[in-house]
Amino acid sequence: MKKLFTLAAALLLMGSAYAQLYNLVKVTEVNDGGLYVFERNGHVLYAKLDNKAVVATDEYNTTGLTGKESYVWSLEANVDGSFSIRSEQKYADNPDGHIYLNNPSGKTDITMANAGSAAWKFTFEGGEVLISNANNADRFLGETADGSNKYKAYAASNIDTYGHNFTVYELQVSTSPYITIAPAVADFGAKAIGSDAVTMDITVNCGNLKGSVTYSGLKDPFSAKGTIAKSGDKLTITANPSKEGTYSQTLTIESATDNVKVQVTVKMNVTDPTAGYAKMTGKMVEGDYVLTYDEYAMKASIMLNSKNEKVNRFENGTFTLSGDMLTNPDESIIWHIASAGDSWTLYNKSVNKYAGSTDAKNQGALLDDATTDNAKWNITVTEANTYEFENVARAASEQNPENKWLHNNATYGFACYGTNTGGALTLYRLGGSTATAVEQTEMTEKPVKVFENGQVVIIRGNIRYNLQGVRVP
């Protein structure tokens, strides 16, 4: 079942008429002025570039399209039978902008341009099509690697190397009954027990229906509210994180008379915030952390090059997020950050070593001795609640002292780089997103432990906490 991409409002009132909607119909020829979707392996080309490749996505509708989606393309015929390929979304946003899919001469690069210089040919065989550029020695759109869902223009001699067999769908006027929804997944992510209820709107678009639309399937901790007209409407889903647990339910929206229905997956993970890794904000305090930049976490291992030689950089690790909670991190990416005078140290239990620097720029090291300046970091929080780690030894070095920041290079990992590489880190802390008042050292009152009703309670400044530093009544 296809994932559904966000659908623009289908009902643009123009007098008494409604905007036309379309369904996708498979075709084996293309024509001037037609609207098309190009699909391969369950993914469709859309107007996004990544490293000079056009990207494909699996989030798309097959019914109820407006024709302005990011994966809809129109064709403009040339005299030689080729076509210019135009992004309808980009054209709607800015007709004079970079709206055409292009391929510069002699290159594999795919670009978006304000004029269609590429002459794309569509060669159908067995219901599938080869898309090639007649103005560039018939270079064809091929997948950069199996499963990458990114496409460049490769030389015709490489036809057996890169996947290229697209299926073409034309946007044709909807005549059959349909219901579409966006989004198809209502994921409320990770929520703390007892936090406020949250809501999410589901847009419902309907067409050509004879019967009424109903919805069902949700129960505590979820509920839905709203009325759906035959022409479409919206539902509001409420999630109440009152009880701990992992929840997944299915909201069914249907017209029984017309025998059509769609389903929304509704999810939420209600957790005790003191037991997971929450996105850190505010003042730095001692604790266990995962240090991340974009999709990478700093791992307690040194990278190796193709010759199996150490390159003195911390390896890029992986992590999983649920909302703002980082779940089940591997021990290799968990760092205990502790104060060392005015600075901090980063210790990883799995290797029994500290993260530090070497005497050279763009490097990192796992150290045994935490007392050296190479193992010490000055940490500051930014307005965006990200964190800059400045290595004490590198900052005092006579050679390249500007290469002192613990940043990430997507290719070469974490190390002491300059400001032009990577940026401040996002931290996830075990036990909560901010320092509790028990951890706020600027408070003058000392914490006092008492035993009440079978549990230890910490009292500081007339405020009561449990052993995890969470306020209790």
Side-chain angles (χ1 to χ4, degrees):
M1 183 176 180
K2 303 292 188 298
K3 294 181 182 178
L4 299 179
F5 188 68
T6 303
L7 184 63
L11 303 173
L12 298 176
L13 189 59
M14 299 176 62
S16 61
Y18 294 104
Q20 182 63 64
L21 297 181
Y22 304 90
N23 291 343
L24 295 187
V25 178
K26 182 178 178 180
V27 295
T28 55
E29 65 176 5
V30 294
N31 297 289
D32 181 34
L35 300 177
Y36 298 95
V37 171
F38 307 119
E39 180 269 335
R40 185 174 179 275
N41 294 336
H43 292 67
V44 297
L45 296 183
Y46 77 119
K48 176 183 176 181
L49 300 181
D50 182 6
N51 194 26
K52 298 181 180 179
V54 61
V55 179
T57 177
D58 62 354
E59 297 182 343
Y60 66 100
N61 286 314
T62 59
T63 60
L65 281 74
T66 66
K68 305 301 181 184
E69 289 79 8
S70 62
Y71 48 86
V72 174
W73 307 85
S74 67
L75 299 185
E76 298 176 356
N78 301 314
V79 293
D80 62 355
S82 65
F83 296 88
S84 296
I85 302 178
R86 186 181 78 190
S87 164
E88 286 305 275
Q89 184 187 63
K90 288 184 176 296
Y91 176 74
D93 292 342
N94 181 11
D96 298 320
H98 292 170
I99 60 178
Y100 290 95
L101 193 69
N102 268 11
N103 166 222
S105 178
K107 296 184 178 181
T108 62
D109 299 352
I110 298 298
T111 63
M112 298 297 298
N114 56 10
S117 63
W120 298 105
K121 297 189 302 182
F122 292 79
T123 305
F124 285 89
E125 182 177 351
E128 295 179 326
V129 69
L130 172 72
I131 305 174
S132 56
N133 181 7
N135 282 354
N136 197 7
D138 288 331
R139 286 181 173 269
F140 65 94
L141 282 182
E143 192 173 21
T144 58
D146 288 343
S148 71
N149 298 309
K150 300 175 184 178
Y151 292 83
K152 289 189 174 184
Y154 293 102
S157 59
N158 293 315
I159 193 69
D160 294 327
T161 303
Y162 300 98
H164 55 271
N165 51 324
F166 287 92
T167 299
V168 181
Y169 293 91
E170 185 176 33
L171 275 68
Q172 297 183 5
V173 174
S174 299
T175 57
S176 58
Y178 66 85
I179 303 173
T180 66
I181 45 90
V185 177
D187 189 351
F188 289 92
K191 301 297 178 185
I193 300 173
S195 58
D196 293 338
V198 288
T199 62
M200 185 181 301
D201 287 339
I202 303 296
T203 300
V204 183
N205 287 306
C206 312
N208 307 313
L209 299 180
K210 296 179 181 178
S212 59
V213 180
T214 61
Y215 57 91
S216 61
L218 296 187
K219 59 183 180 181
D220 187 59
F222 303 117
S223 61
K225 183 178 181 181
T227 301
I228 307 175
K230 292 181 182 180
S231 57
D233 216 321
K234 73 176 181 179
L235 296 177
T236 298
I237 299 176
T238 300
N240 184 10
S242 59
K243 297 179 182 178
E244 185 174 6
T246 300
Y247 301 94
S248 180
Q249 298 178 18
T250 300
L251 171 67
T252 299
I253 304 168
E254 64 181 325
S255 170
T257 302
D258 298 282
N259 195 31
V260 292
K261 69 178 179 181
V262 292
Q263 293 181 320
V264 181
T265 300
V266 184
K267 300 190 295 184
M268 179 173 61
N269 183 21
V270 183
T271 63
D272 178 354
T274 67
Y277 286 79
K279 188 175 181 180
M280 181 67 178
T281 61
K283 177 184 176 181
M284 175 59 62
V285 295
E286 182 171 348
D288 288 344
Y289 291 84
V290 176
L291 285 61
T292 74
Y293 185 78
D294 286 343
E295 61 186 289
Y296 302 111
M298 191 173 89
K299 191 174 181 179
S301 61
I302 299 300
M303 291 188 70
L304 303 176
N305 61 19
S306 59
K307 298 179 181 180
N308 209 35
E309 299 169 334
K310 290 184 177 181
V311 293
N312 293 329
R313 295 181 177 95
F314 298 103
E315 193 173 357
N316 288 326
T318 60
F319 60 95
T320 302
L321 291 180
S322 177
D324 277 344
M325 297 290 290
L326 190 148
T327 57
N328 300 318
D330 185 83
E331 288 185 353
S332 64
I333 63 172
I334 300 174
W335 299 90
H336 185 80
I337 300 180
S339 61
D342 293 332
S343 303
W344 302 82
T345 59
L346 282 62
Y347 172 77
N348 184 273
K349 183 179 179 180
S350 70
V351 295
N352 192 29
K353 292 183 183 294
Y354 295 85
S357 66
T358 71
D359 294 330
K361 66 177 183 178
N362 300 338
Q363 293 190 0
L366 290 171
L367 306 175
D368 295 314
D369 186 358
T371 64
T372 69
D373 284 348
N374 290 96
K376 294 178 181 179
W377 304 86
N378 295 323
I379 304 177
T380 56
V381 59
T382 72
E383 291 183 359
N385 281 308
T386 54
Y387 295 79
E388 285 285 15
F389 288 68
E390 178 191 45
N391 188 262
V392 174
R394 290 296 311 140
S397 174
E398 294 182 357
Q399 296 184 349
N400 306 112
E402 68 277 4
N403 290 74
K404 59 184 177 179
W405 305 104
L406 183 59
H407 283 182
N408 175 261
N409 179 307
T411 302
Y412 299 110
F414 291 81
C416 291
Y417 297 111
T419 56
N420 292 330
T421 299
L425 307 182
T426 298
L427 306 186
Y428 294 86
R429 174 178 179 259
L430 177 64
S433 60
T434 58
T436 66
V438 171
E439 299 164 315
Q440 295 294 343
T441 56
E442 65 270 18
M443 291 186 66
T444 57
E445 298 90 342
K446 293 183 178 181
V448 177
K449 293 182 180 179
V450 297
F451 194 76
E452 295 181 355
N453 299 322
Q455 67 174 339
V456 175
V457 175
I458 302 171
I459 303 175
R460 189 177 193 184
N462 295 321
I463 302 175
R464 301 156 61 83
Y465 307 88
N466 63 19
L467 281 175
Q468 288 77 36
V470 177
R471 292 183 65 168
V472 296

